[in-house]
Amino acid sequence: GALKARLCVQGCAQVQGVDYDQTYCATMRPTSLRALAAVAASADMSMRRWDFVAAYLQGDLQPGEVVYCHAPPGYATYGADGRPRICRVEKPIYGMAQAGRRWQRSLFPWLK
């Protein structure tokens, strides 16, 4: 099969209040989903469910939010001073503490 790779930042190295401020992303508990399904079934209503592929990659960083990460092993380039260059992240990627919140902020206006 095809080989695939996924770039992931070291979210464990991020510091709350310095690198990010909001990480909350609303989710539904399984018990709440069962209760909602029971209400919909008793009222003869239908329900829809969506599964977003790579949801965290679909968000947008906030204006003025700047995130940097090191290049993956094997892709690092070095400056004239011999130090490794860093990459500026333009969209949320796996491992970012705030990726879920950024995706939610992109999704909610679409749902209204």
Side-chain angles (χ1 to χ4, degrees), residues 38-86:
V39 170
S42 67
D44 199 29
M45 299 171 72
S46 63
M47 292 181 62
R48 292 180 109 171
R49 187 188 97 157
W50 293 303
D51 185 15
F52 292 91
V53 176
Y56 281 15
L57 304 177
Q58 306 302 324
D60 294 311
L61 295 175
Q62 291 181 324
E65 184 176 17
V66 181
V67 178
Y68 296 98
C69 72
H70 291 282
Y75 291 95
T77 58
Y78 297 89
D81 57 0
R83 296 188 334 190
R85 293 188 178 185
I86 57 174

Side-chain angles (χ1 to χ4, degrees), residues 11-13 17 19 21 69 73 84 92-94 99:
C12 60
D19 298 316
D21 59 349
C69 72
I93 57 178
Y94 290 107

Side-chain angles (χ1 to χ4, degrees), residues 16-35:
Q16 186 174 4
V18 176
D19 298 316
Y20 63 90
D21 59 349
Q22 297 177 345
T23 60
Y24 177 76
C25 183
T27 58
M28 183 179 283
R29 293 178 182 218
T31 53
S32 300
L33 179 61
R34 284 193 296 272

